[in-house]
Amino acid sequence: MIVPFDKLHEECGVVAVYAHPEASKMVYLGLHALQHRGQESAGISSSDSVKIRTQKHMGLVVDIFTPDVIEKLPGTQAIGHTRYSTTGDSALLNAQPIMVDCNKGQMALAHNGNLVNAADLRSRLEREGSIFQTTSDTEVIVHLIAHSKEQTLEDAITDALRRIEGAFSLVIMTNDRIFAVRDPRGFRPLSMGHIRAGESLRKDSVVFASESTAFDLIGAEFDRDVKQGELIVVEPEGIRSRFYAPAQPMKACVFEQVYFSRPDSVVFGRSVATSRELMGRQLAREAPIDADIVVAVPDSGVPAAIGYSSESGIPFRTALIRSHYVGRTFIEPEQRVRDFGVKLKLNPVRSMLEGKRVILIDDSIVRGTTSKKIVRMIRQAGAKEVHMRISCPPTIASCYYGVDTPRRKELIAANKTVEEIRNFIGADTLSYLSLDGMKNACGEGEQVNYCDACFTRNYPTDFVEVSEIQPAVASND
């Protein structure tokens, strides 16, 4: 049985390390820090300046990359990827990095994001004779590079990047170079840093990662974010930067601050922990309620709950305990246990909840099914009242930029009013953070502007939502 949790999911995380004697080990550690960004598959490609080798499998980073596997990845440069599928099936054939040997040479590529024009590009490439090995949109980029009429690989990459539309943070590796790319709107994060030269390093190593928390684990220092429309080339001669396209109005994914990124990361130049606590404080100002305790849905709801508690003066209590050791499969008892999946992950502390008026803080409600079970669980533990507070606005639209969002018809807020949702989940009251309140808490306008399409349906790119195209109906006239 798959044990679901009703949350949105990021597509993946990427890591790259250049000029380090244990590059594949550094990438492995970086992927371990980014495991929350994808738990379906993981892969590492390394180069010893002569040959690129790749190891990728389904499963978790720590289970895949044993010492024996790491030994098969020699070299001083490596890139890695951990995946949660949005485009393409969940299967080993779609695991990344994707490695190819084409007319531009050998290369490996790892991608975080989603291309909104991938289907059109793929159809055109197939008409021109391309044979695809995967169902992932990432392979489209590889074929565009191979098909480019530009003579050098760098120019071919630049040519390909100008043809794709959507969200993409990429790391690309050749035998002796690493390229790092971010799309012109800056949808997905990509940070650059370095590991200082020391006894075991003759010169600084250059590193890239989806989140700065990966740098902490490998002893790297954060330098800056890769800029919108920027292509960074790291090679034996040094580091170069060029812009393959002009920056467009920034549309950074606000869900990186709300839920996806780890709280100990700095994303889009902003501390995630700070943003989440400020969201909780703003939520307390916008939706106050008289209660006895504030309780978080762990783990992502904790910073906002702390902020709500600090602003309201109502004490925060750890009254929901999460198990961190539940795998993706579990043997379910033959005698059906109500809310079994949620109980595997969460258990209430009855002594803290009994007779209490509870403010329950979570970061989002997607389908509403998990929220309903949690509210019921807290009531069964003896809570007198349960007031649900959500630290972002209602999610009313699907994302097409690298987030695994259900179809619009499955999003509860797209089909029910707040009062109807409250009634469905069984809470005494329900309030969401306002759009302006969320953006202000996340520092909108300081260094970043956010994409709010999942809350407003105001998409920053053009595309056709295939699932919403209505079939032709014959006229009765």
Side-chain angles (χ1 to χ4, degrees), residues 77-94:
Q77 61 183 56
I79 66 172
H81 186 272
T82 185
R83 183 173 193 267
Y84 185 99
S85 63
T86 56
T87 298
D89 301 326
S90 171
L92 182 57
L93 63 87
N94 286 319

Side-chain angles (χ1 to χ4, degrees), residues 284-343:
R285 291 191 286 268
E286 291 183 7
I289 193 77
D290 193 19
D292 301 309
I293 58 173
V294 176
V295 175
V297 176
D299 291 318
S300 56
V302 172
I306 291 171
Y308 193 105
S309 172
S310 298
E311 185 69 23
S312 66
I314 300 170
F316 170 78
R317 292 290 182 265
T318 307
L320 274 178
I321 307 301
R322 182 174 182 181
S323 169
H324 292 267
Y325 306 101
V326 179
R328 289 186 59 80
T329 61
F330 203 91
I331 299 170
E332 187 170 355
E334 289 184 18
Q335 180 66 42
R336 185 74 180 178
V337 178
R338 193 180 199 189
D339 303 339
F340 181 74
V342 170
K343 288 180 178 178

Side-chain angles (χ1 to χ4, degrees), residues 93-315:
L93 63 87
N94 286 319
Q96 298 183 32
I98 293 176
M99 190 180 81
V100 295
D101 201 342
C102 67
N103 57 353
K104 303 296 190 300
Q106 198 177 37
M107 63 178 169
L109 183 149
H111 170 212
N112 175 25
N114 205 50
L115 307 183
V116 297
N117 64 338
D120 289 341
L121 289 171
R122 183 178 178 121
S123 296
R124 181 174 64 79
L125 288 163
E126 287 176 332
R127 288 196 300 271
E128 294 174 358
S130 290
I131 299 173
F132 283 78
Q133 303 298 316
T134 77
T135 59
S136 168
D137 63 338
T138 307
E139 193 181 0
V140 170
I141 304 171
V142 174
H143 282 273
L144 287 172
I145 294 170
H147 273 245
S148 174
K149 292 181 173 59
E150 298 292 340
Q151 297 301 306
T152 69
L153 176 61
E154 183 177 330
D155 288 339
I157 291 172
T158 301
D159 182 40
L161 294 173
R162 290 174 180 151
R163 298 171 187 269
I164 58 178
E165 179 75 25
F168 50 94
S169 288
L170 305 170
V171 288
I172 305 170
M173 184 177 68
T174 65
N175 289 336
D176 63 350
R177 287 180 290 175
I178 282 178
F179 303 83
V181 179
R182 196 158 167 230
D183 71 73
R185 291 183 179 84
F187 281 109
R188 312 245 65 86
L190 187 61
S191 297
M192 179 180 181
H194 70 279
I195 302 173
R196 287 186 183 273
E199 293 181 6
S200 60
L201 282 178
R202 288 181 294 176
K203 63 176 184 178
D204 287 0
S205 298
V206 181
V207 297
F208 298 92
S210 294
E211 292 180 39
S212 65
T213 186
F215 296 164
D216 299 336
L217 189 56
I218 63 176
E221 298 176 30
F222 172 84
D223 292 330
R224 67 178 179 89
D225 286 339
V226 178
K227 297 175 183 177
Q228 297 164 245
E230 185 179 21
L231 169 66
I232 297 176
V233 186
V234 188
E235 56 192 353
E237 295 76 23
I239 302 172
R240 292 186 289 110
S241 168
R242 62 185 286 187
F243 288 85
Y244 64 88
Q248 298 185 27
M250 190 177 195
K251 291 296 178 182
C253 177
V254 74
F255 252 100
E256 293 285 353
Q257 298 287 352
V258 172
Y259 173 67
F260 296 142
S261 297
R262 273 178 39 165
D264 51 340
S265 285
V266 175
V267 172
F268 307 132
R270 178 118 179 134
S271 162
V272 175
T274 297
S275 291
R276 290 179 186 169
E277 183 170 341
L278 290 175
M279 281 186 265
R281 285 183 175 274
Q282 181 63 25
L283 186 57
R285 291 191 286 268
E286 291 183 7
I289 193 77
D290 193 19
D292 301 309
I293 58 173
V294 176
V295 175
V297 176
D299 291 318
S300 56
V302 172
I306 291 171
Y308 193 105
S309 172
S310 298
E311 185 69 23
S312 66
I314 300 170

